[in-house]
Every structure is written in structure tokens, then in C-alpha cells.
Amino acid sequence: MTIALGSDHAAYLLRDHIAAHARARGFEVEIYGATGPEAYDYPDAADALVPKVLEGSATLGVLCCGTGIGITIRANRHHGIRAANCTCNVMASLARQHNDANILGLGARILSKERAVEIFDTFVDTQRSPEIRHLKRVEKIDAPIND
């Protein structure tokens, strides 16, 4: 499995910590976004990573910023992305099971590195639910909105 990880400058250390953990678990890892503490905007990190998930070269994505909020909002602007900002294992599990989330959002200012790794593990180890009710809801999530 290939995991794409992206971050802004506020979360590059968390992203790199999760990347090391993912590699230790045997995952292929691709890195996007900030390479250090110099300013790097979270929308740019999201926009660099999202195509990899959409085209299938990455199985799942992880996006990190200060709170996980902005980077997840930006990712969700892309059709076909179901990014979930998660702060606990239950959210990560349900995001995968019920929403078939394909990107995990994490906040470096919100979570410890240890907690973020636990959430990551839950996210990547959980499969989507095969229940029809969940599959129908995911179809509705992915359907275009006519404003």
C-alpha cells in the first residue's frame, strides 16, 4: 500500500514522524508539501497530494496542518476526495467504515505525535463498510451539487 503524506510548515515534523512509522509498517510513502519551518501554505500541500489519491498512485492520503481543519477543507474541494479531520480513533474508524474516507486530516497543534500515530493506524487498518446504507450515502457525498 502506498500512503501519500502532505503538510504545511506547521505540521511537517508530525508528517515526517508518521511517514517514518508508515515505512516501519512496510508501507510505501510519498511526501508532499513543506520541507522545513519556512512558510508553506496548506492549500498548496493539499493540491499537491490530492491528485495522487485520485489517480490511484497512492492508496490513501494523510494531510497535516496546525489543526487539520484548513488542509482538510481544501482537499474536500476536489471531486472524489473524502477527507476527514480526525482527533480520535473512533472518528478515524467511522470515517473509513461509513464514509469511505480516502484522506486523513491531522492537526499538529491538536494531537501529540503518539496520538496521531494511533489515529493513523486505525485509519489505514479500517476498511469501508460493505453495508448498502453506507455505500448509498457515499454515492450521495460524491454526487455533484447543483447550486
Side-chain angles (χ1 to χ4, degrees):
M1 177 185 302
T2 300
I3 308 290
L5 294 106
S7 75
D8 68 358
H9 61 281
Y12 79 96
L13 291 174
L14 176 64
R15 181 209 53 210
D16 291 351
H17 182 77
I18 294 168
H21 173 75
R23 285 186 189 102
R25 286 198 51 190
F27 295 122
E28 298 280 332
V29 171
E30 298 174 357
I31 301 291
Y32 300 92
T35 57
E38 299 78 27
Y40 192 104
D41 294 339
Y42 58 80
D44 296 334
D47 290 348
L49 180 144
V50 162
K52 304 306 176 185
V53 173
L54 290 174
E55 72 190 22
S57 64
T59 311
L60 294 171
V62 178
L63 287 170
C64 306
C65 68
T67 62
I69 298 169
I71 204 162
T72 304
I73 289 171
R74 179 59 185 177
N76 279 320
R77 301 287 240 162
H78 295 267
H79 182 74
I81 292 299
R82 294 174 302 280
N85 186 26
C86 298
T87 58
C88 68
N89 291 4
V90 172
M91 290 175 76
S93 178
L94 293 176
R96 290 286 296 137
Q97 287 176 18
H98 293 190
N99 309 119
D100 194 18
N102 49 15
I103 293 181
L104 171 64
L106 297 170
R109 295 180 182 135
I110 306 301
L111 302 166
S112 68
K113 288 180 181 177
E114 296 76 22
R115 183 49 135 171
V117 164
E118 290 174 10
I119 294 167
F120 167 83
D121 283 341
T122 298
F123 190 81
V124 300
D125 292 340
T126 303
Q127 299 299 312
R128 76 174 185 182
S129 170
E131 293 182 46
I132 297 299
R133 65 190 173 117
H134 298 303
L135 298 175
K136 288 170 98 174
R137 291 172 187 153
V138 170
E139 285 179 15
K140 287 182 178 183
I141 290 170
D142 285 345
I145 297 174
N146 297 322
D147 291 333

